[in-house]
């Protein structure tokens, strides 16, 4: 998907450069590489990427799981974890942030590309569902309002 912009959050410079190069070779735009959770949150708000690839272990006080949770809450940007950690405790913490993917390092290009494409599609469908739900909620509210007005008119003494 050539119009997909990705923000990469990775604290290992060599890994980050490799992932950036691989993403660009697949046709994705990489908006930047950031190495702390705090910076990732700030930049996600500024850059508004289509997707964030997030490592779990980062520099600074905040890890990737906490940063992902904040980004999801504040900006509704899909997150894919790109990490070497698959222990039960880490998986349980990551799972509650509702990631759109969890890819273990080292990974093949096809794995990350598939995860990105699925995440973008799923996020788009979720947004359409939310819009549809909102439209129907408003329709029902209007119907109830009009019904109440009609009942009030009909119950008035003549």
């Amino acid at each position: 998907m050539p119009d997909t912009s990705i923000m990469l959050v990775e604290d290992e410079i060599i890994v980050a450069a490799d992932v950036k190069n691989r993403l660009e070779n697949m046709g994705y735009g990489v908006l930047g590489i950031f190495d702390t959770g705090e910076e990732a949150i700030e930049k996600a708000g500024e850059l508004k990427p289509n997707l964030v690839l997030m490592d779990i272990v980062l520099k600074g006080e905040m890890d990737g799981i906490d940063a992902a949770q904040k980004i999801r809450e504040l900006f509704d940007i899909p997150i894919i974890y790109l990490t070497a950690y698959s222990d039960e405790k880490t998986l349980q913490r990551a799972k509650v942030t509702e990631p759109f993917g969890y890819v273990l390092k080292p990974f093949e290009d096809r794995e990350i590309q598939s995860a990105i494409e699925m995440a973008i599609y799923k996020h788009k469908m979720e947004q359409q569902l939310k819009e549809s739900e909102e439209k129907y909620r408003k329709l029902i509210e209007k119907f109830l309002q009009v019904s109440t007005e009609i009942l009030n008119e009909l119950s008035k003494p003549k």
Side-chain angles (χ1 to χ4, degrees), residues 33-99:
I33 300 170
F34 307 99
D35 62 1
T36 69
E38 296 83 359
E39 187 179 30
I41 295 166
E42 178 185 332
K43 293 299 182 181
E46 287 175 22
L47 299 173
K48 304 279 193 256
N50 298 116
L51 181 101
V52 175
L53 285 179
M54 179 77 70
D55 190 10
I56 289 178
V57 176
L58 301 171
K59 292 179 182 175
E61 297 295 315
M62 179 181 286
D63 71 4
I65 295 172
D66 292 333
Q69 182 68 39
K70 278 289 190 200
I71 289 170
R72 189 92 161 103
E73 288 171 5
L74 295 172
F75 311 114
D76 190 30
I77 298 170
I79 306 286
I80 294 176
Y81 290 110
L82 188 58
T83 185
Y85 295 88
S86 62
D87 60 278
E88 189 63 27
K89 182 180 175 190
T90 302
L91 284 171
Q92 291 304 316
R93 282 189 62 224
K95 171 171 77 171
V96 298
T97 66
E98 300 178 12

Side-chain angles (χ1 to χ4, degrees), residues 14-145:
I14 294 170
V15 173
D18 177 56
V19 173
K20 178 181 186 289
N21 185 47
R22 291 165 76 174
L23 291 171
E24 289 174 343
N25 286 339
M26 287 182 241
Y28 299 111
V30 179
L31 299 178
I33 300 170
F34 307 99
D35 62 1
T36 69
E38 296 83 359
E39 187 179 30
I41 295 166
E42 178 185 332
K43 293 299 182 181
E46 287 175 22
L47 299 173
K48 304 279 193 256
N50 298 116
L51 181 101
V52 175
L53 285 179
M54 179 77 70
D55 190 10
I56 289 178
V57 176
L58 301 171
K59 292 179 182 175
E61 297 295 315
M62 179 181 286
D63 71 4
I65 295 172
D66 292 333
Q69 182 68 39
K70 278 289 190 200
I71 289 170
R72 189 92 161 103
E73 288 171 5
L74 295 172
F75 311 114
D76 190 30
I77 298 170
I79 306 286
I80 294 176
Y81 290 110
L82 188 58
T83 185
Y85 295 88
S86 62
D87 60 278
E88 189 63 27
K89 182 180 175 190
T90 302
L91 284 171
Q92 291 304 316
R93 282 189 62 224
K95 171 171 77 171
V96 298
T97 66
E98 300 178 12
F100 282 69
Y102 197 98
V103 178
L104 292 173
K105 298 177 196 170
F107 61 88
E108 297 293 323
D109 288 357
R110 195 73 199 128
E111 289 175 273
I112 195 69
Q113 187 174 24
S114 298
I116 290 168
E117 293 302 317
M118 293 296 212
I120 294 297
Y121 181 79
K122 182 180 177 199
H123 188 252
K124 180 181 173 185
M125 292 299 106
E126 282 183 2
Q127 287 177 318
Q128 288 178 357
L129 180 61
K130 285 178 189 175
E131 290 169 8
S132 178
E133 287 173 344
E134 181 64 17
K135 184 169 65 171
Y136 287 114
R137 185 189 62 76
K138 287 179 180 178
L139 183 63
I140 295 295
E141 286 176 356
K142 187 67 173 171
F143 173 78
L144 291 173
Q145 177 188 358

